[in-house]
Amino acid sequence: MSRGGRGGFRGGGGGGAQSGAMQLVSFDLLKDLGSGSLFNVQTALFPEMDVPMARKPNNSEATQWKHKDECIQLIQASPFYLVPPPPPPDIERYSDRYKKRKTKQSLREIRSDMDYFPEELHSILDPNKRKRRKMANGSGDAYAQLQALMEMEGKDGGEGKDDDEDGEKKEGDNPEEDYGDDYEDEEDLVDDNDYAQNYFDNGEGDDIDDDDGDGGDYF
Amino acid sequence: MAAAGCITAVLPEHSRSSTDRYLAAEEKEAEKYMIATAKDLQAIKAAAHAQIEAETSMQEGIGMKRKAEDLLGPATKKHARKDGDEPDIEVDPDVFFAINYEKYTMMFRNNAIVDYATERINHTAGQVVKAFLDHGKAKMKNLREEDSPSASPIHIVNMIPSEMLTQDDIVLQPDPLDPNKKPGLQEVVRAYIMLLKTDQAGFVKSKDEMGANQFAINFAKLRDSMKRRVFEGIIREKYGVATCRIARILIEKGKLDESQVQKLAMLPPKEAREKLALLHTKGIVEIQEVPRSADRAPARTFFLWYVPLEKCYQELLVDAYRVILNLQQRKKEELKIRSRLLDKLSREDVIQNMDLLGEADKAELSQMQKVIQRLETSKKRMDDIVMIFRDF
């Protein structure tokens, strides 16, 4: 059995540390060959070890694992377990029709009390209070910002200050629907692709004429 | 479940940080004073602390109201309706609940204690210990307690089914009047409690404060015994019986010179020296130098060996974490190499009809389930060890 002689794959490199030609051999074949093919050198890191086998699980342990498994399934089915969305399909495959992802309950549908969330998040969670968020962000003009501040102070006394802080710190606490807006903002900011145009010469101008390609592009 | 303390109510106060609450309470107290001297400041702090403590301790009954009249009221939980004996407490539907992990840890801990008693003495002794713990279950709030709520032998007799006690597991003094009479239930229980009390692991200790012959489970000593047992077991498995003997001698006697160790362990001096050196490299024993002269010449100092228990326990805990990590990594690896099979399994038509998989696939599936079960069981056993060392 491949478990026998050397210490098995427990401490070893397994999938990562394969040598050149070995990368093409599939793992199943490797198991049959035994680990002698990877571990030809006896080093201090991987000494010969006699790994003891664990006792078989007794009845109560087997039932405990079943319960734990159910628990894990429950958690994964709950709306709190966030997974990244799957990549968009490149070509249409036959198995697509069998691989539909079950839509989970979304986080918004969970009944919760606003009291339990810190005050800074209230405007985000409750869609009614959203409008004041982006005030301090928009114009770079100092005068316009001052104007906006004065207006808001006129509208609602002391609360204006809180909301300004709200608008300014919109880092990690964005809910799902605001995520799209932020993403767009970031993309707009990174419009200056002139670097690629200016400095990355793809080797096109090399053969023809040195002066022509790179002439006026270095600012 | 709420009445049993398995889940607790969550209040908006829990979402605010406790330091904030404390500062707010301090400010409230400080309003009473115009100019605060140093003593007043301390009084403010103490009063704020006390107020917060009172608030937190009042939360036990929150979320539940006593029912006014009819037991079969509409707002009861379904579970309670099925039982005949319904408690007269109803759950407030507007309050949020969360799982009380401490209570569950306590239940696991109690089970571990019962297992330990069963292993060390016998099955009936385990039942006696279990009766002790069941008796005090409702009152055990804190994991860090020293003793369990106390019980008298009469309570225990009521809680254990009587067939168990007439199994003749324990040898008692025969009644001088009638030598053939079987011992009565109370005497058997009392004898067991005495046995548990005098056992070195320190299961039970007597609490005679109320004068009514009460006993309680001694958690403080049990913590030590269980940790030691795991520790010694590991040393025996890894390094052999003789080395374990040396370690146990050092744990029990304190700091010893090398020649004393050799005499007590009944080993030839060369072997004793080798094993002590091995334990030293693993960090289980350490040396304390006691110089004989003013200059610390090595030829004229005593070298005493000892076991730093707390340090060893910490090291063991970290090792246990590493083992769990290895197991988890191995599980991930096993799932990764079978990713194609897992893809097949997540298809809807396969979920409904397992026969669509070929023979090799089914064999592979059962092999995978066996492997995962073994890995998870090992993880669970390591988790028990972590529980003893960390949460007990």
Side-chain angles (χ1 to χ4, degrees):
Chain A
M1 204 165 97
S2 62
R3 254 302 198 102
R6 306 298 186 95
F9 285 102
R10 248 298 188 76
Q18 286 164 328
S19 46
M22 287 301 198
Q23 282 168 359
L24 300 174
V25 182
S26 89
F27 193 80
D28 295 328
L29 284 185
L30 273 183
K31 274 198 286 190
D32 292 337
L33 292 174
S35 38
S37 39
L38 282 180
F39 298 125
N40 287 322
V41 179
Q42 177 99 5
T43 58
L45 265 185
F46 304 120
E48 286 270 357
M49 265 192 77
D50 185 20
V51 181
M53 287 277 277
R55 309 188 296 267
K56 285 207 171 115
N58 54 27
N59 282 345
S60 65
E61 284 172 346
T63 41
Q64 277 184 353
W65 159 230
K66 277 204 203 81
H67 288 309
K68 183 174 172 187
D69 202 16
E70 283 173 16
C71 243
I72 294 180
Q73 303 295 337
L74 261 179
I75 292 179
Q76 284 178 344
S78 87
F80 293 107
Y81 187 75
L82 304 173
V83 287
D90 41 1
I91 51 175
E92 200 179 313
R93 290 167 201 266
Y94 176 77
S95 56
D96 278 350
R97 93 165 104 129
Y98 296 113
K99 277 199 192 161
K100 295 197 197 77
R101 187 174 285 249
K102 290 190 206 117
T103 47
K104 292 196 231 172
Q105 225 190 356
S106 106
L107 276 175
R108 293 242 163 211
E109 290 163 10
I110 300 178
R111 184 174 80 103
S112 66
D113 201 350
M114 291 292 267
D115 233 359
Y116 289 93
F117 291 91
E119 283 185 9
E120 292 89 359
L121 291 180
H122 281 221
S123 63
I124 295 176
L125 291 169
D126 192 355
N128 301 334
K129 302 188 191 167
R130 257 199 74 210
K131 54 180 159 40
R132 298 196 206 112
R133 274 190 67 249
K134 302 221 171 166
M135 288 298 261
N137 192 25
S139 45
D141 187 8
Y143 187 68
Q145 269 184 342
L146 260 178
Q147 284 281 358
L149 266 176
M150 308 269 272
E151 261 180 55
M152 278 174 45
E153 268 201 338
K155 255 195 246 169
D156 37 31
E159 276 199 60
K161 270 193 235 156
D162 281 334
D163 289 319
D164 266 340
E165 287 166 8
D166 257 353
E168 275 163 5
K169 49 170 171 176
K170 30 183 214 87
E171 301 117 28
D173 302 341
N174 285 319
E176 296 150 30
E177 60 183 77
D178 284 332
Y179 182 69
D181 297 342
D182 277 4
Y183 194 60
E184 275 168 51
D185 284 345
E186 268 193 50
E187 263 196 338
D188 289 335
L189 288 175
V190 191
D191 238 4
D192 305 307
N193 285 326
D194 295 13
Y195 184 82
Q197 289 169 5
N198 291 342
Y199 293 99
F200 178 59
D201 185 13
N202 206 0
E204 291 168 359
D206 280 355
D207 284 337
I208 311 166
D209 220 350
D210 271 349
D211 287 331
D212 277 353
D214 302 338
D217 278 358
Y218 289 105
F219 291 147
Chain B
M1 270 210 298
C6 296
I7 54 183
T8 54
V10 179
L11 296 170
E13 274 104 56
H14 288 155
S15 307
R16 320 233 190 285
S17 92
S18 59
T19 329
D20 274 347
R21 277 193 280 160
Y22 174 56
L23 290 174
E26 257 194 36
E27 275 190 27
K28 251 178 56 179
E29 295 283 327
E31 281 169 12
K32 298 184 195 158
Y33 298 86
M34 275 293 116
I35 306 174
T37 64
K39 261 204 222 166
D40 286 339
L41 283 173
Q42 279 181 5
I44 290 176
K45 280 201 170 87
H49 256 309
Q51 195 187 353
I52 301 272
E53 301 281 329
E55 273 178 19
T56 45
S57 62
M58 237 192 7
Q59 281 161 9
E60 288 178 7
I62 292 186
M64 309 192 289
K65 312 189 271 237
R66 298 225 156 241
K67 250 194 289 229
E69 60 278 334
D70 197 12
L71 281 182
L72 297 174
T76 59
K77 294 163 95 162
K78 283 196 227 132
H79 177 79
R81 209 189 281 148
K82 283 193 194 133
D83 287 346
D85 49 341
E86 218 174 59
D88 55 343
I89 301 179
E90 149 195 317
V91 175
D92 188 353
D94 285 331
V95 174
F96 294 98
F97 283 91
I99 297 182
N100 185 5
Y101 294 104
E102 232 182 82
K103 191 81 187 186
Y104 283 102
T105 314
M106 274 200 273
M107 290 202 251
F108 288 130
R109 174 196 67 173
N110 295 349
N111 284 345
I113 294 180
V114 169
D115 285 337
Y116 184 35
T118 315
E119 193 192 322
R120 212 177 143 93
I121 307 178
N122 71 14
H123 180 64
T124 319
Q127 296 300 314
V128 170
V129 174
K130 188 156 174 271
F132 257 109
L133 292 166
D134 283 338
H135 172 77
K137 198 154 63 161
K139 286 185 249 145
M140 288 200 279
K141 289 291 165 204
N142 197 6
L143 263 185
R144 301 277 151 210
E145 270 173 355
E146 298 291 320
D147 315 312
S148 76
S150 47
S152 76
I154 311 177
H155 288 148
I156 307 296
V157 170
N158 288 342
M159 298 201 67
I160 300 186
S162 50
E163 327 60 70
M164 208 160 301
L165 289 174
T166 53
Q167 269 175 9
D168 279 345
D169 282 349
I170 191 168
V171 177
L172 298 168
Q173 296 271 4
D175 195 356
L177 299 176
D178 188 2
N180 286 338
K181 187 174 86 157
K182 273 185 162 208
L185 288 177
Q186 268 224 18
E187 279 137 31
V188 173
V189 168
R190 211 174 286 264
Y192 263 111
I193 295 184
M194 280 298 129
L195 178 64
L196 286 168
K197 192 165 135 188
T198 52
D199 184 53
Q200 249 192 340
F203 282 100
V204 161
K205 73 172 193 215
S206 57
K207 285 173 75 155
D208 282 327
E209 8 174 84
M210 284 162 296
N213 202 15
Q214 307 263 12
F215 297 96
I217 304 267
N218 187 356
F219 286 140
K221 193 128 187 283
L222 263 181
R223 266 180 217 142
D224 282 327
S225 332
M226 290 183 85
K227 284 188 197 175
R228 257 227 272 175
R229 169 177 166 254
V230 173
F231 182 53
E232 288 166 9
I234 290 186
I235 297 186
R236 187 185 302 134
E237 290 287 335
K238 273 196 187 171
Y239 309 120
V241 178
T243 323
C244 180
R245 204 158 68 218
I246 294 184
R248 290 184 70 179
I249 292 172
L250 285 173
I251 293 178
E252 281 172 26
K253 306 277 183 205
K255 297 186 166 62
L256 289 179
D257 195 18
E258 188 190 22
S259 47
Q260 290 167 313
V261 167
Q262 180 245 318
K263 247 184 287 180
L264 286 169
M266 300 180 286
L267 290 170
K270 184 159 158 285
E271 270 196 40
R273 206 172 295 164
E274 275 174 7
K275 296 199 191 311
L276 277 173
L278 173 66
L279 287 174
H280 187 56
T281 55
K282 301 294 174 189
I284 296 175
V285 304
E286 287 187 3
I287 303 185
Q288 166 77 316
E289 294 168 6
V290 177
R292 264 192 268 192
S293 53
D295 59 341
R296 290 183 176 76
R300 275 197 299 245
T301 55
F302 291 110
F303 291 100
L304 301 175
W305 301 88
Y306 69 100
V307 175
L309 263 185
E310 275 308 317
K311 255 202 257 184
C312 290
Y313 290 157
Q314 302 277 7
E315 233 349 273
L316 240 186
L317 186 60
V318 171
D319 276 344
Y321 285 145
R322 284 203 192 108
V323 171
I324 298 182
L325 174 73
N326 281 346
L327 289 167
Q328 181 70 8
Q329 272 185 324
R330 180 60 191 248
K331 179 174 157 200
K332 237 176 149 175
E333 191 60 35
E334 296 276 340
L335 285 177
K336 199 164 84 163
I337 60 181
R338 294 184 171 86
S339 62
R340 283 198 64 220
L341 176 65
L342 289 172
D343 272 341
K344 277 192 215 172
L345 282 174
S346 62
R347 289 169 55 136
E348 285 178 353
D349 49 353
V350 170
I351 292 178
Q352 287 172 359
N353 181 11
M354 279 289 167
D355 288 333
L356 288 177
L357 298 170
E359 274 305 317
D361 277 342
K362 284 191 192 161
E364 191 66 34
L365 175 67
S366 66
Q367 171 72 1
M368 178 179 89
Q369 279 171 346
K370 207 166 86 154
V371 162
I372 301 275
Q373 189 199 34
R374 291 283 184 92
L375 286 172
E376 287 286 333
T377 314
S378 300
K379 250 206 272 181
K380 176 245 172 209
R381 289 174 190 157
M382 288 316 296
D383 192 46
D384 285 339
I385 294 184
V386 168
M387 176 183 84
I388 291 178
F389 278 93
R390 185 183 67 176
D391 297 325
F392 193 153

